[in-house]
Amino acid sequence: MLLPLTLEALLKIALLIAGLMTAAAYFVLLERWIAAWVQDRLGPNRVGVPLTKIRLFGLGQPIADGVKFLFKAEFTPGHVDKFIYFLAPMSIFAAAILVFAVIPFGSALPPNIFPASWGVGEPIQLVAAPGIDVGMIYVFAVGSIAVYGVVLGGWASNNKYSFLGGLRSGAQLISYELPLGLGILGVVLASGSLRLETIISQQAQSGAWNCFLQPLGFLVFAVASFAEAGRLPFDLPEAEQELVGGYHTEYSGIKLMMYLVAEFLHMITASFLIAILFLGGWHFWGLTDGGGPDGNTVTWVVAVLRIIVLLAKVMAMILFFMVVRWSWPRFRYDQLMDIGWKVMIPWGLANLIAVAVWVEYGDRIAHSLGLPPLLCMGLCGFVILLLGWYVATKADPTLNDNRPRRRLISPDRHVEKIEV
Amino acid sequence: MNANDKRIRWVKEPALGMAGKSYLLLFVQGLATTLKHLVSRKKTVQSPEERHEIPDPIIYRGVHRLNRDEQGRVKCVACFLCATACPAHCIDIVAAESPWPDREKYPQSFTIDELRCIYCGLCEEACPVDAIELTSLYDLSGKSREEMIFDKQKLLSIYDQTKDAEPTRTERLKGEGGGGKAE
Amino acid sequence: MHDPHIILILTTLLGAVGLWLMLPRGTHRGRSVGIILTAVALGAGASQLPYLGDWLTESIFGVLAAVTVVSAAATIAFRNPVYCAIWFGLTLLGTAGLFLFAGAQFLAVATIVVYAGAILVTFLFVLMLAQPEGKAAYDRVSWEALLSAVLGMVFVGVLSMAIVGVFTAPREAKERPVAPPAAKELAENVLVPQHVAALGTELFGKHLIAVEVAGALLLAALVGAAVIVAQGKMEEKNERNAQQKRD
C-alpha cells in the first residue's frame, strides 16, 4: 500500500514540476507573441528544431531562451550581501513552486492505472498533496513567503533602485493580501471548506459557479491576484521608467531566470485559483457531469475531459492576464494603494457580509420570495456588485488633490511677496 | 518663484464624470482596442526573405556613393566641404592636383568610416558638384571594423551598382529642365 | 547515567555557557567554543528524546527540530539584524513544520501566514529602513548577554524535564491518541474533531469573549493609528490655511 502511494505522489510531483517549468517557458513565448500581435508585429517565429532549418512557428524559442540564460555570464556585483543575494531568488522560486502542492489540476483518475494486485481501490486524486484540510490557507501562507524574495533581493542588491523597488513591491504585496484573503473568505464561507477539491465539487454539484453567486468577490479576488502576481496594471515592482529593473536590477543569468520564472508561476497560480474558486474548476455544464462530484465513479473519458476543461479555463485566464497588460496603463503608486485600501477592502468586506447573511438567512429569503435559492443568491450578488461599484464611483477615493504635496516653501520661512 | 505666487495659475484637471470614474467604460475601451490590434494585419517585414519597401529611394539616407561624370571619372573636386560639414568626422580626403584640365584638384583617396557615420546627409547637402550622395542601401555589414572603412574604389563601385535604380541629382534636374541647385 | 534528569541538568548548564559565548558581546573571543558547547548540549538533549516508532518519522522530526533549534540559536547569535530576522523566519518555518508533523495543519499554516507572512516582513521593513547596515552599537551587542542566556536555558531545561517526566510516566496512564479519520470522512463530515471546523467551534464557542476582546483591542490600535495620521493631516491643513491668510 505504501509503495503505490509513494509512487503516485512522486509521479504527480514530477508531472507538476515538469509541466510547470515547460508551461512557464512557453508562456514567455506566448507573452512575447501577444505583445507582438497587439503591436501589429509577428513576434518570435524563427527558432524551430535546433540545428535544423525547420521553423515551426518559433516554438523552439523557449529552448533558445533557456540555453541563453544558462550560458550567460552570471555576474555578482561586489557590493552585494552575498548570502541574501543568493537566498532571495531561491526563496521566491521555491515558494512559487510549493503552492502547487494543494492546487488540483483535474478531478480524479480511475484506480485501474495500477495493477489490480496492488490493491489500490480509490480513485487517484489529481493533487500533489490530497487531503490537506487547510489548502486555501496553505496557498495563502506560501504565497506570503514570496514577499521575502522581493524584499530581500532588493535589500541585498545594495542599490537604490533595487531597494526602492523591493520596498515598494513588498508594500504592494502585503497590502493586496488583504483583499485577496477577503475574496477567498467569501468562497470559503459559502462552501464551508478550505479544501480546493471540495470547493470545486460543491460548484459542480450545484452547477452555479461562484463568479455568478459572488460577482463582487470575484472582482476583488481577480484584481488582488493581478496585484499579487505583479502584472500590469499593477507592475510597480519593476516599473522600468522609474526603477530600472526594480528588485532584480542587479541580478543576471540563472538567478534572474528564477525571478522571471517565479513571476510566471505566480500568474499561473493566480489563474488556477481564479478558475478553481470562482469559475467552477473542472466543471462545465453537460460535459463533465458523469463520475460524481468527488470523482468516485469517474471514467477515463470524463477524467480527461475534466482536466481539459480546467486547463482551458486556466489558459483563458492567462490569456486575459496577457491581453490586459497591453490595454491599461500602470497605476501610480498612491492610486495603487488607494485602490487596495479604499476600494478593494471595503468591497471584499461587503461581499463577505453579504455571503454571511446569505448563508444564515438565504433559504428563508428565497422561500419568502418564491424563487430558487441559487437564482436568488446570484441576483443578490449582482445587486451588491452594482451597489458597491456605484458607491466607489461616487466616492472616488482614488481622486487625489496633489496640491499639498507641492509645498515648495516651509510655512515659517519669510515669504517674499511679488506684486503683480 | 514660490508656491504662493499670485501669478501661478493652478489648473484643475478635467473632471472624469461617472463613466470615467467607474473605470468600466475605459476598461472596455482599452480592451477593445487591444483585441482589435490582436487580430489585425501585421506590419512586420520578414527580412531577409522580404525586403523593406523604401517609398522614395531618392530621399532615403543609406550607404554613400561617389558619383562619376559622363566620362567615368570621379566627380569629386576635393573641396573638403563634405568633410567640414560632417558632424561625425567620418570623411577623410587626400587631395591631389587633378590630371584633367577641367578642374584643379581631385581626391587621391576618399574614405568614409561607415561605422562612425550617422547618416545625417549633411555631406550630400554640402557638395557643390553633387559628387557624394546617399543611396537607399540600408543593410551593410562587415566582419571587421577595417572592412567598414569604405575607400574610393568601394564608393565608386556603389555608384556603379545603384546608378540605374537611383539617378544622380544632376540627371534628375536635367530631366526637369533646370540647372543648378533647386533650393 | 541512566537518570535523564542529570543529563538534562548538564545539558542546560552547557547550553547556557555555550549560548553566552555565542551571543554578540562586542568581542569575537570564544564564539567557536560557544558553538561547540551548544552543539554538544543539543546532542545530549536530543539523545534523551524518545524513539518515535520508525526511521522515517524519526528522521523527519529530527530534521525539523534541528532546523528550528539551530536557526533559533542563530537568530540571537548573529550581529546583522537582517540576518537575525531571516534566521527567525527559518525558525518559524521549522515550527510550522513541527506543527504539521503533529497534525495541527491549521496552526502550522496560520503560523506562517501571521508570523512569517506579516509580522516578520514588517520587522524586515523597519530594520532595512532604520539601520540598513546594522552598524549601530546597540544593534551589534546583545543586552545582558549572560542573564538572557542563563534564563533562556533554564527555561528550556525546566520545560524539557517536565516533558521527560511525561514520557517516563507509566504507560498505562497515557491515553492512546485517537487515530485520524479517513480522508473521505473528513471531506464529507465537517464535524470530525480533527477538522479545522472544530478549531473554529472551539474558538468561537468556548473562547468567544477572549476572541472578541482581542479583536476589539486590535481595532482600537487600528483606530488609534488612523487618528494619528488624521491629526497630522489636520495640522498640515491648518498650517496651510494660516499661511494663506498671512498672504
Side-chain angles (χ1 to χ4, degrees):
Chain A
M1 197 59 200
L2 191 67
L3 178 69
L5 278 180
T6 318
L7 197 68
E8 184 192 318
L10 285 178
L11 261 177
K12 282 192 280 200
I13 291 170
L15 197 71
L16 258 180
I17 290 184
L20 282 175
M21 291 298 102
T22 320
Y26 274 90
F27 282 141
V28 175
L29 178 64
L30 186 67
E31 175 103 316
R32 290 175 66 181
W33 269 347
I34 287 183
W37 293 341
V38 168
Q39 297 168 13
D40 291 346
R41 295 184 286 114
L42 282 176
N45 63 351
R46 296 266 159 174
V47 189
V49 184
L51 305 178
T52 62
K53 295 224 183 245
I54 305 165
R55 276 199 181 155
L56 226 64
F57 312 108
L59 284 173
Q61 188 73 37
I63 304 169
D65 282 348
V67 170
K68 187 192 82 171
F69 260 120
L70 284 176
F71 286 103
K72 250 186 160 176
E74 203 189 339
F75 180 70
T76 308
H79 53 73
V80 300
D81 188 321
K82 292 268 170 4
F83 177 70
I84 301 183
Y85 181 79
F86 281 99
L87 180 75
M90 287 182 212
S91 65
I92 196 170
F93 187 73
I97 287 265
L98 269 177
V99 175
F100 285 90
V102 293
I103 293 182
F105 48 95
S107 166
L109 292 182
N112 55 14
I113 193 168
F114 289 119
S117 57
W118 287 12
V120 183
E122 302 227 337
I124 296 148
Q125 298 291 328
L126 285 175
V127 200
I132 288 201
D133 281 342
V134 288
M136 208 49 249
I137 316 182
Y138 172 85
V139 171
F140 207 60
V142 178
S144 68
I145 300 287
V147 185
Y148 284 93
V150 171
V151 174
L152 290 179
W155 183 79
S157 295
N158 200 2
N159 165 326
K160 287 184 196 107
Y161 297 114
S162 301
F163 187 53
L164 278 177
L167 283 185
R168 217 157 91 153
S169 60
Q172 172 184 336
L173 294 181
I174 293 178
S175 302
Y176 274 86
E177 259 169 33
L178 293 167
L180 197 74
L182 287 172
I184 291 171
L185 268 182
V187 173
V188 168
L189 196 60
S191 60
S193 170
L194 288 165
R195 280 183 66 181
L196 292 166
E197 299 101 300
T198 318
I199 292 172
I200 299 178
S201 62
Q202 287 209 342
Q203 293 179 71
Q205 232 161 6
S206 66
W209 300 351
N210 280 329
C211 66
F212 301 124
L213 301 180
Q214 306 176 21
L216 192 59
F218 175 53
L219 187 68
V220 170
F221 186 82
V223 171
S225 51
F226 267 74
E228 284 286 304
R231 298 283 305 183
L232 265 155
F234 302 103
D235 72 333
L236 284 108
E238 33 173 333
E240 299 93 347
Q241 295 89 336
E242 300 154 34
L243 293 170
V244 193
Y247 53 87
H248 53 59
T249 304
E250 299 283 8
Y251 282 90
S252 57
I254 189 84
K255 289 203 277 290
L256 177 66
M257 190 167 89
M258 277 186 177
Y259 268 120
L260 299 182
V261 171
E263 265 170 37
F264 271 90
L265 287 179
H266 286 154
M267 187 173 73
I268 300 173
T269 315
S271 304
F272 260 106
L273 285 181
I274 292 174
I276 288 167
L277 292 177
F278 289 98
L279 300 179
W282 43 255
H283 171 258
F284 199 87
W285 307 281
L287 213 56
T288 58
D289 285 345
D294 289 326
N296 286 334
T297 54
V298 80
T299 58
W300 274 100
V301 179
V302 176
V304 172
L305 263 179
R306 284 177 175 184
I307 295 175
I308 291 173
V309 167
L310 177 61
L311 293 187
K313 283 175 185 172
V314 172
M315 194 65 205
M317 272 318 298
I318 286 172
L319 282 175
F320 182 64
F321 265 91
M322 288 176 177
V323 171
V324 161
R325 176 173 183 169
W326 303 102
S327 306
W328 253 25
R330 180 186 300 134
F331 283 111
R332 211 170 54 206
Y333 189 66
D334 60 324
Q335 291 172 334
L336 170 96
M337 284 296 164
D338 283 344
I339 290 174
W341 288 95
K342 297 181 186 166
V343 181
M344 287 306 151
I345 291 182
W347 276 3
L349 283 172
N351 180 62
L352 187 62
I353 292 169
V355 173
V357 168
W358 184 263
V359 167
E360 194 62 33
Y361 301 109
D363 286 341
R364 257 178 278 172
I365 298 170
H367 188 72
S368 62
L369 288 175
L371 287 167
L374 282 175
L375 180 70
C376 196
M377 184 177 179
L379 285 178
C380 286
F382 276 98
V383 167
I384 286 163
L385 171 73
L386 290 178
L387 216 63
W389 204 315
Y390 180 74
V391 170
T393 308
K394 264 295 182 205
D396 198 16
T398 59
L399 187 72
N400 261 309
D401 181 8
N402 42 17
R403 258 179 292 176
R405 279 173 217 174
R406 298 189 190 149
R407 294 202 346 169
L408 305 175
I409 48 159
S410 61
D412 49 12
R413 219 172 63 193
H414 172 67
V415 180
E416 218 177 319
K417 276 206 165 184
I418 302 164
E419 297 301 324
V420 187
Chain B
M1 185 168 285
N2 64 55
N4 296 335
D5 199 318
K6 294 268 186 335
R7 291 176 299 181
I8 295 177
R9 268 184 64 214
W10 291 98
V11 181
K12 261 190 135 179
E13 289 170 35
L16 272 174
M18 279 302 264
K21 280 186 200 166
S22 74
Y23 286 83
L24 186 64
L25 192 66
L26 297 178
F27 182 62
V28 173
Q29 275 175 353
L31 214 56
T33 310
T34 314
L35 290 177
K36 203 174 72 200
H37 280 279
L38 196 63
V39 293
S40 71
R41 245 195 92 223
K42 306 302 169 213
K43 299 199 168 60
T44 308
V45 175
Q46 298 236 48
S47 182
E49 292 90 10
E50 292 171 25
R51 299 289 294 181
H52 181 59
E53 221 171 88
I54 295 169
D56 186 0
I58 304 295
I59 60 168
Y60 193 87
R61 300 202 299 260
V63 186
H64 315 74
R65 68 181 184 192
L66 270 182
N67 291 342
R68 296 177 191 273
D69 60 9
E70 295 84 355
Q71 301 167 37
R73 305 173 301 179
V74 62
K75 234 176 170 183
C76 175
V77 293
C79 68
F80 286 80
L81 277 181
C82 53
T84 312
C86 180
H89 303 302
C90 64
I91 305 178
D92 189 47
I93 307 172
V94 178
E97 199 145 325
S98 162
W100 310 301
D102 57 344
R103 65 187 88 161
E104 285 177 17
K105 291 193 291 177
Y106 90 112
Q108 195 174 35
S109 110
F110 191 110
T111 53
I112 299 181
D113 189 344
E114 298 288 342
L115 293 179
R116 280 189 79 156
C117 177
I118 58 169
Y119 301 94
C120 63
L122 284 182
C123 47
E124 189 179 15
E125 296 282 326
C127 188
V129 292
D130 291 334
I132 185 166
E133 277 182 348
L134 270 65
T135 62
S136 65
L137 299 180
Y138 56 87
D139 49 351
L140 76 166
S141 61
K143 284 178 181 148
S144 66
R145 286 176 187 279
E146 289 72 34
E147 209 174 297
M148 297 302 287
I149 299 173
F150 285 10
D151 60 359
K152 196 167 82 177
Q153 288 312 310
K154 181 96 180 169
L155 291 166
L156 284 170
S157 75
I158 297 173
Y159 169 77
D160 296 335
Q161 269 179 46
T162 56
K163 65 182 172 190
D164 300 327
E166 298 170 46
T168 65
R169 186 186 203 120
T170 324
E171 281 162 16
R172 271 180 283 136
L173 290 177
K174 228 183 269 169
E176 285 163 21
K181 293 227 163 188
E183 283 96 318
Chain C
M1 270 321 258
H2 286 287
D3 189 3
H5 291 281
I6 295 167
I7 296 177
L8 277 178
I9 290 168
L10 278 178
T11 307
T12 311
L13 283 176
L14 264 184
V17 175
L19 214 55
W20 175 65
L21 285 171
M22 267 169 71
L23 282 179
R25 293 159 295 137
T27 165
H28 281 278
R29 222 172 301 148
R31 278 193 90 188
S32 38
V33 179
I35 292 170
I36 294 169
L37 284 184
T38 318
V40 170
L42 279 183
S47 71
Q48 293 306 302
L49 291 173
Y51 187 61
L52 288 174
D54 66 301
W55 65 270
L56 195 66
T57 326
E58 186 76 20
S59 51
I60 292 175
F61 174 77
V63 168
L64 285 176
V67 164
T68 312
V69 176
V70 169
S71 59
T75 305
I76 52 172
F78 264 76
R79 275 165 177 73
N80 189 333
V82 173
Y83 275 78
C84 296
I86 292 172
W87 282 112
F88 182 51
L90 195 58
T91 315
L92 290 173
L93 287 184
T95 315
L98 285 174
F99 278 143
L100 201 60
F101 186 68
Q105 291 180 355
F106 182 79
L107 213 51
V109 181
T111 307
I112 297 183
V113 170
V114 175
Y115 282 97
I119 293 180
L120 194 56
V121 174
T122 324
F123 273 11
L124 266 180
F125 267 38
V126 174
L127 291 176
M128 287 172 175
L129 285 173
Q131 269 288 328
E133 315 261 304
K135 289 269 158 59
Y138 49 83
D139 273 343
R140 304 187 73 76
V141 177
S142 69
W143 187 62
E144 293 290 355
L146 183 63
L147 195 64
S148 46
V150 169
L151 271 183
M153 277 319 283
V154 165
F155 182 60
V156 171
V158 169
L159 277 185
S160 331
M161 275 186 219
I163 292 170
V164 168
V166 172
F167 279 130
T168 48
R171 284 268 157 183
E172 290 77 40
K174 215 173 90 187
E175 214 175 294
R176 295 286 300 164
V178 186
K184 202 175 145 201
E185 197 190 343
L186 266 177
E188 283 166 3
N189 184 7
V190 195
L191 291 176
V192 169
Q194 267 80 2
H195 203 279
V196 183
L199 189 75
T201 319
E202 186 85 351
L203 268 183
F204 288 94
K206 225 175 178 178
H207 306 291
L208 179 66
I209 293 175
V211 169
E212 290 299 327
V213 167
L217 200 66
L218 289 176
L219 187 67
L222 203 67
V223 172
V227 165
I228 290 170
V229 171
Q231 236 168 18
K233 285 228 166 131
M234 282 297 278
E235 272 165 23
E236 215 170 78
K237 205 174 173 185
N238 290 341
E239 270 174 24
R240 213 168 48 237
N241 288 344
Q243 204 188 342
Q244 271 167 5
K245 258 180 217 159
R246 252 186 291 148
D247 294 341

